[in-house]
Amino acid sequence: MSLLTSWVESANAPDGQFPLNNLPCGIFSTAGGRRRCGVAIGDQILDVTALEQGGLLSVHDHPVFDRPSWNAFMALGPETWRAFRARLHAMLGKEASQADRQAWSGALVPQADAALHLPVETRGYADFYGCRNHAFNVGTMFRGPENALPPNYLHLPIAYSGRASSIVISGTEIRRPWGQLKAPDEAAPRFAPCERFDFELELGAIVGQPSEFGRPVSVAQAYEMIFGYVLLNDWSARDIQTWEYQPLGPFQAKATANTISPWIVTSLALEPFHVSTPERDTPLLPHLREPGPMLYDIDLDVLLQPDGAQHATTITRSNYREMYYSAPQNLAHHTTSGCPMEVGDMLGSGTISGTTRQSRGSLLELSWGGKEPIGLDGGGTRSFIEDNDTIVFRGAARGDGYLIGFGECAGKLLPAHADPYARGA
Ligand code: MN
């Protein structure tokens, strides 16, 4: 696959994130306007809501785009997703007629003039632990390398159910949480601001089709249900987690916020970048086996910028191909109980870490539990996130002369409230 050229000239830039090959889905608004569906193309947004209202684009017998989420469109299913993409390729491609170009160019809105919002309404969110490198690193820190992986790890994708209500859009400021902390040498817990606040580099899979209550889905069916992917920062309070997590898993440590990037990059755009999960010494039970490659080759970077610093430091370079379990495997596993999936649900991949120090997907791993602080370009070191640091994720699949960009997933950590229970002021 090579670059598909468009008459929207900015979409043909060789290092651009949003060529015609990509067409990611977001929710935007302009001054005085309401939130509605749009598709990124070059440095523009295609206002599909305006096209639908003008009778120039129709995907269903009733309007689906004049809404503050893509849920109604996603619910129409994979055949509609494909037809929509084909129609945009035809109308935005170099071969489009002069009349079509003229009609559709009126629906282009400069990204610079638009605000972006959460692209999906999510009611269910589960976060997985699907990267063996990450699980091995964390397990080694706490239990030693011989016992690093829990006994179930090679047999099923481990997860916890997270909160959908604290999913926020890139750019939202995050407040350092308070919680119960207890170091091993302390006799009793204390209530204090988190001292080991961290990020986790993940992808969020967006579920675009429901499943039936009481019926599991196969991995192949799960693949067809996933509409697309966003960058996901699963902000994590390591010290709160240490004290709270046994026996039911993380709770408040993972509930502060989950930041996602604004554009859903579709599974269709990612098709040329398929890679397989790794060879397995321990075979999976049949219901979790993949019928084909279901991971993607997506480069992922993490940058840290202290408050007032001139430059951000790239602290991690990883890749989504490092996962041990794919999103369709996670989704299939989540339905084995008969739990129904809903349109808009999100599944976090788990922290995406490579095998080298430079590719670790969290500060817990980068600083090895705080014992080996990492250096920053402008001076200074970090073991965990400090007040007013900004964390930025970037992601891109690299094709022959084009990128499938994910945009940015950014968040600044504000200092803890002096008194979290004080109101007013
Ligand atoms: Mn996580």
Side-chain angles (χ1 to χ4, degrees):
M1 177 73 79
S2 54
L3 175 73
L4 301 172
T5 52
S6 171
W7 53 263
V8 181
E9 285 301 332
S10 61
N12 304 325
D15 54 352
Q17 296 200 68
F18 306 123
L20 186 53
N21 306 62
N22 193 345
L23 300 176
C25 302
I27 295 293
F28 76 104
S29 62
T30 47
R34 57 176 179 268
R35 297 179 183 200
R36 58 197 191 272
C37 293
V39 172
I41 175 82
D43 60 7
Q44 305 289 309
I45 298 170
L46 182 71
D47 186 345
V48 292
T49 308
L51 290 172
E52 186 180 60
Q53 285 169 345
L56 295 167
L57 174 67
S58 174
V59 296
H60 196 52
D61 55 19
H62 64 262
V64 295
F65 293 129
D66 188 11
R67 296 160 197 259
S69 83
W70 279 80
N71 292 43
F73 174 82
M74 293 194 295
L76 299 176
E79 273 182 44
T80 302
W81 308 345
R82 278 182 195 281
F84 174 69
R85 181 173 170 82
R87 174 97 166 122
L88 264 55
H89 277 165
M91 294 297 285
L92 296 172
K94 272 277 198 266
E95 301 74 29
S97 73
Q98 204 55 46
D100 285 343
R101 290 185 191 201
Q102 199 140 33
W104 277 43
S105 62
L108 292 174
V109 176
Q111 285 177 29
D113 295 346
L116 298 173
H117 311 280
L118 282 178
V120 59
E121 185 190 341
T122 299
R123 298 206 306 169
Y125 165 54
D127 189 37
F128 284 79
Y129 194 52
C131 180
R132 186 176 177 171
N133 302 327
H134 170 71
F136 182 78
N137 284 340
V138 174
T140 299
M141 269 180 250
F142 293 103
R143 293 183 294 276
E146 297 77 21
N147 304 307
L149 292 182
N152 54 3
Y153 193 86
L154 301 178
H155 300 280
L156 59 79
I158 300 171
Y160 64 91
S161 281
R163 282 295 292 180
S165 63
S166 55
I167 297 172
V168 296
I169 190 73
S170 177
T172 305
E173 293 179 324
I174 308 302
R175 181 70 64 176
R176 181 185 296 275
W178 285 63
Q180 281 203 15
L181 314 179
K182 190 185 109 44
D185 58 353
E186 289 175 312
R190 58 205 159 87
F191 187 63
C194 170
E195 293 164 5
R196 290 159 71 100
F197 203 66
D198 200 355
F199 64 85
E200 289 192 338
L201 171 63
E202 306 196 22
L203 279 194
I206 305 297
V207 177
Q209 286 284 279
S211 69
E212 192 185 334
F213 180 52
R215 284 259 180 216
V217 301
S218 69
V219 177
Q221 288 167 327
Y223 177 84
E224 293 294 322
M225 290 166 61
I226 295 174
F227 179 67
Y229 293 83
V230 292
L231 302 173
L232 165 64
N233 184 347
D234 173 27
W235 301 95
S236 297
R238 302 298 182 191
D239 42 5
I240 294 173
Q241 184 171 349
T242 302
W243 171 234
E244 76 171 358
Y245 87 105
Q246 286 177 327
L248 291 185
F251 186 49
Q252 293 307 288
K254 301 285 195 171
T256 298
N258 304 279
T259 303
I260 65 171
S261 53
W263 297 105
I264 307 172
V265 174
T266 63
S267 302
L268 294 173
L270 291 169
E271 271 180 358
F273 304 96
H274 273 137
V275 290
S276 296
T277 46
E279 293 285 328
R280 293 167 199 273
D281 300 330
T282 306
L284 290 170
L285 289 168
H287 71 286
L288 289 178
R289 287 181 198 157
E290 292 173 301
M294 292 184 173
L295 286 179
Y296 303 103
D297 181 357
I298 302 168
D299 285 333
L300 300 166
D301 293 344
V302 180
L303 297 89
L304 188 155
Q305 185 155 16
D307 195 31
Q310 294 265 309
H311 303 288
T313 302
T314 300
I315 57 174
T316 296
R317 292 182 196 279
S318 188
N319 190 295
Y320 184 58
R321 66 188 309 157
E322 298 287 351
M323 303 308 294
Y324 193 75
Y325 292 104
S326 66
Q329 287 175 308
N330 295 342
L331 178 51
H333 176 61
H334 201 337
T335 65
T336 51
S337 58
C339 174
M341 294 294 116
E342 297 183 322
V343 173
D345 284 355
M346 185 167 80
L347 305 183
S349 60
T351 307
I352 305 165
S353 294
T355 52
T356 62
R357 184 171 180 191
Q358 292 75 21
S359 59
R360 295 173 184 166
S362 65
L363 277 167
L364 177 70
E365 296 164 270
L366 285 162
S367 72
W368 208 252
K371 294 197 186 82
E372 302 167 15
I374 58 166
L376 301 180
D377 289 349
T381 62
R382 285 293 180 279
S383 291
F384 293 95
I385 306 173
E386 295 192 1
D387 287 349
N388 300 306
D389 284 351
T390 298
I391 302 293
V392 179
F393 296 173
R394 293 186 185 142
R398 297 177 193 283
D400 179 14
Y402 72 98
L403 300 178
I404 299 291
F406 278 74
E408 269 191 6
C409 175
K412 180 177 182 175
L413 180 68
L414 301 180
H417 289 298
D419 175 359
Y421 296 101
R423 292 293 180 270

